[in-house]
Amino acid sequence: DVKVTQSSRYLVKRTGEKVFLECVQDMDHENMFWYRQDPGLGLRLIYFSYDVKMKEKGDIPEGYSVSREKKERFSLILESASTNQTSMYLCASSPRDWGYEQYFGPGTRLTVT
Amino acid sequence: RKEVEQDPGPFNVPEGATVAFNCTYSNSASQSFFWYRQDCRKEPKLLMSVYSSGNEDGRFTAQLNRASQYISLLIRDSKLSDSATYLCVVNMGSGGGADGLTFGKGTHLIIQP
């Protein structure tokens, strides 16, 4: 079974803090993704990576950065957390070939106060 | 602009009834189509892929209409456990898979006893 794990299910941080969200997948997938999901807005792509040390901006990269030092791990970084970054964050992975579905982690519900 | 549109619902349906909903997509060159299911406060999970010839999995049938650029999901003999949000997902990528998946905002289905 494909497994995508995220470091925390729930996280509470203060405005201005630096926040790290970790994602690990065990299926040797090339592609990894970070989304945020908000009511009424659906899933929005923040960043994705198609290889180690490679990253591409998604639709809403502002205020975020990512790191992919190893194939199995993709980290999302909030440089200075703000209240409008309170959201559900979902990590996903997929094989390189297009047309394959994405496998999601359980999500991290981040609250910034 | 890449668009995947769904009726957000909610669809309130009595148990045992048949329900269907559609999803339209904007890019006629799209090649891969999926339905995902997302339970409340859980991650999206693949329900089924949608093939050109249509496909059926138990009580679920998915169809693709390329001419009109929509896909559909039909659920027969609905169960209480079918209550969820159903996400339409389309691969609009031009060949590279990493950024090609576009998610609809989901259709909320409530099966009532």
Side-chain angles (χ1 to χ4, degrees), chain B:
Chain B
R1 179 177 173 80
K2 301 176 181 178
E3 295 279 349
V4 175
E5 301 287 345
Q6 295 182 252
D7 183 339
F11 284 51
N12 289 282
V13 175
E15 190 176 9
T18 295
V19 60
F21 26 84
N22 293 340
C23 156
T24 59
Y25 59 94
S26 61
N27 186 344
S28 60
S30 300
Q31 296 294 323
S32 305
F33 309 87
F34 309 92
W35 283 105
Y36 277 68
R37 172 194 168 124
Q38 185 173 23
D39 294 305
C40 187
R41 297 185 177 274
K42 298 281 190 179
E43 74 272 24
K45 292 185 179 179
L46 181 69
L47 177 65
M48 57 199 309
S49 301
V50 187
Y51 306 121
S52 296
S53 55
N55 54 312
E56 186 174 317
D57 183 3
R59 298 181 293 108
F60 297 83
T61 300
Q63 298 278 357
L64 168 63
N65 185 316
R66 284 193 184 275
S68 300
Q69 293 182 209
Y70 73 86
I71 64 172
S72 63
L73 180 66
L74 178 82
I75 306 174
R76 289 180 297 278
D77 187 24
S78 53
K79 312 290 184 191
L80 296 177
S81 57
D82 294 333
S83 297
T85 297
Y86 291 85
L87 304 174
C88 172
V89 185
V90 178
N91 189 322
M92 297 189 185
S94 57
D99 65 338
L101 285 188
T102 301
F103 287 78
K105 294 179 181 178
T107 296
H108 189 198
L109 175 64
I110 301 170
I111 306 300
Q112 295 174 328

